[in-house]
Amino acid sequence: MLHWLIMQTQLILDLHLHSHYSRATSKNMDLEHIYRWGKIKGINVIGTADFIHPAWLQELQTKLEPAEPGLFKLKDQYAQEQDKTLPESVKNQLMRFIFTTEISTIYSKNDRVRKLHNVIVMPSFKAIAKFNHELQKIGNLKADGRPILGLDSKKLLQLTLETDPEAFFIPAHIWTPWFSMFGSKSGFDTIEAAFEELTPKISAIETGLSSDPFMNWRVDQLKDLTIVSNSDAHSPQKLGREANVLNCELSYPAIIETLKTNDQRMVGTIEFYPQEGKYHYDGHRKCQICLAPEKTKKHQNLCPKCGQPLVLGVDYRVNELADHPADYQPQKHKQVEYIIPLAEIIAEIKGVKSTKTKTVQTEYQKIYQALGNEFKILRQLSPTDIKQAGFAILAQAIKKMRAQEIIVKPGYDGVYG
């Protein structure tokens, strides 16, 4: 009973995703579908994404209303339409929204072109209006849900801090090659190189799907920062493939204070296996070449098939900047839970390649109707309970997942593992 009470105080957050106004996103990335899938997944607080975009901001203003301090809920007229089609097993799941957006900055610094993505969290519509007003002077906010601005990330951080003292800034997926703080193609080697005197204002970083907290803890300049993990979802079904677990009050101030201080209220993260990420290893997609860092070095960072430069992945880049060996673990660290999304497990059981098939989707719905939300199934329910509900093979698979008895073919150059 004590364990149950403890689990009920925890909040699961997914702060980084995209609306249907962003490139290459599902048309179903609207508030209603995000709300629906947030309940099915078992997420308590979900980022709105894309509050920069004028049309999406209008949707937020129309469909959301204040809930707990700094958090918002879907208005009853929209929520009830979704709730009436959800099974009792997930219908009562608490689901709130928090204002977030991702911004792409492309600029020149120290004689190199830099391309960084950053996630920004805001406490109110008033703060968003002030922030957007300044950004309109810099670039076209209507072009894409994740705008591209010719702005130094340091200046973006400064603008964030000037907008509202409760605003929060997180360098996004910091290791991915093309658009990140430490990316091999256009990033920096230190936080200071990117943010200079404002470096102390960086109190959290995002792992990205191709790295995990243990990889980040190998780098001493990150050891005191809060490590967050988010889904970066472009479709509702991908929500929660990574998430954060907090044990704090349900309010914007409490959540942001927890992320800033990295105290005991920051329980840890729920992780996609980093090897599954599409930039974990080095490679060349065109030639179907995937290499571990040690083999990449033997080939002098060139594709052994065509001779062109390889895209150096996250593992390679972490090794370059690491102060500790690959097996390093801090004596004390936050909780790290690895999951395989339920739909992927079902596809493996059914022997099909795509999670989008009717076979997988039908079984997925059957499972959450019987057992509850996805995180409850993956993280909490005993294999015995799952088996007794009629899902014996699933129970065995989840048991293996929790024991990390899996084999992963690493992803590379934009190809998922």
Side-chain angles (χ1 to χ4, degrees), residues 111-384:
D111 300 320
R112 281 188 61 188
V113 174
R114 310 294 181 169
K115 300 179 181 180
L116 275 67
H117 285 181
N118 299 288
V119 173
I120 294 163
V121 192
M122 285 286 172
S124 65
F125 281 118
K126 181 180 178 181
I128 290 172
K130 182 179 178 182
F131 189 65
N132 288 4
H133 177 73
E134 293 303 315
L135 290 184
Q136 286 170 357
K137 303 173 185 177
I138 300 166
N140 180 10
L141 304 188
K142 298 178 182 179
D144 189 66
R146 180 183 60 203
I148 299 172
L149 302 178
L151 179 68
D152 190 313
S153 284
K154 174 194 164 185
K155 293 182 179 178
L156 180 63
L157 171 57
Q158 186 171 21
L159 177 59
T160 302
L161 298 171
E162 291 171 352
T163 297
D164 193 290
E166 290 195 323
F168 195 57
F169 187 101
I170 308 171
H173 43 68
I174 64 167
W175 298 102
T176 54
W178 301 98
F179 293 94
S180 73
M181 182 171 68
F182 290 156
S184 61
K185 291 292 184 181
S186 58
F188 300 88
D189 288 345
T190 65
I191 304 174
E192 286 80 4
F195 294 102
E196 300 172 1
E197 76 277 7
L198 294 182
T199 295
K201 300 298 183 181
I202 300 295
S203 53
I205 55 91
E206 183 185 58
T207 60
L209 298 178
S210 296
S211 88
D212 65 7
F214 292 110
M215 295 170 70
N216 287 267
W217 286 323
R218 293 176 60 197
V219 182
D220 281 345
Q221 61 180 302
L222 303 177
K223 67 180 180 180
D224 295 324
L225 302 183
T226 305
I227 292 179
V228 301
S229 295
N230 302 295
S231 68
D232 199 356
H234 288 226
S235 66
Q237 293 88 339
K238 299 294 186 183
L239 289 167
R241 56 185 172 179
E242 291 201 329
N244 309 283
V245 183
L246 277 62
N247 195 347
C248 71
E249 175 189 304
L250 182 66
S251 72
Y252 182 97
I255 289 169
I256 297 303
E257 185 184 12
T258 300
L259 296 178
K260 283 183 177 179
T261 61
N262 199 27
D263 62 19
Q264 74 279 2
R265 293 171 297 175
M266 181 68 196
V267 177
T269 56
I270 299 170
E271 298 288 328
F272 199 70
Y273 277 94
Q275 295 89 344
E276 275 199 272
K278 60 182 180 179
Y279 292 109
H280 185 74
Y281 265 7
D282 317 314
H284 193 191
R285 176 171 38 182
K286 184 178 178 182
C287 295
Q288 298 183 320
I289 293 294
C290 173
L291 298 176
E294 56 271 19
K295 290 188 177 179
T296 297
K297 290 177 182 178
K298 288 180 180 178
H299 289 284
Q300 299 181 317
N301 296 1
L302 299 176
C303 175
K305 195 168 183 179
C306 72
Q308 295 298 309
L310 293 164
V311 173
L312 302 179
V314 168
D315 198 28
Y316 187 103
R317 188 69 174 133
V318 171
N319 286 331
E320 277 193 322
L321 299 186
D323 302 287
H324 303 279
D327 60 355
Y328 172 77
Q329 291 191 13
Q331 286 189 337
K332 291 184 178 181
H333 59 77
K334 300 297 182 180
Q335 177 178 291
V336 181
E337 293 180 74
Y338 295 95
I339 62 165
I340 299 171
L342 182 55
E344 288 188 22
I345 296 174
I346 296 168
E348 186 76 17
I349 291 170
K350 297 292 184 182
V352 296
K353 290 184 178 180
S354 174
T355 59
K356 297 178 182 179
T357 62
K358 186 177 180 180
T359 299
V360 172
Q361 293 303 313
T362 300
E363 185 70 5
Y364 182 89
Q365 185 174 12
K366 181 181 174 183
I367 291 168
Y368 76 71
Q369 284 178 337
L371 297 173
N373 69 66
E374 182 169 340
F375 277 138
K376 179 182 177 183
I377 296 166
L378 296 177
R379 301 174 65 231
Q380 297 178 33
L381 288 181
S382 71
T384 300

Side-chain angles (χ1 to χ4, degrees), residues 18-25 50-56 101-104 117 139-149 234:
H18 292 280
S19 77
H20 59 92
Y21 286 99
S22 285
R23 289 187 186 92
T25 53
D50 299 355
F51 66 61
I52 291 292
H53 195 279
W56 181 242
T101 197
E102 183 185 32
I103 295 176
S104 175
H117 285 181
N140 180 10
L141 304 188
K142 298 178 182 179
D144 189 66
R146 180 183 60 203
I148 299 172
L149 302 178
H234 288 226

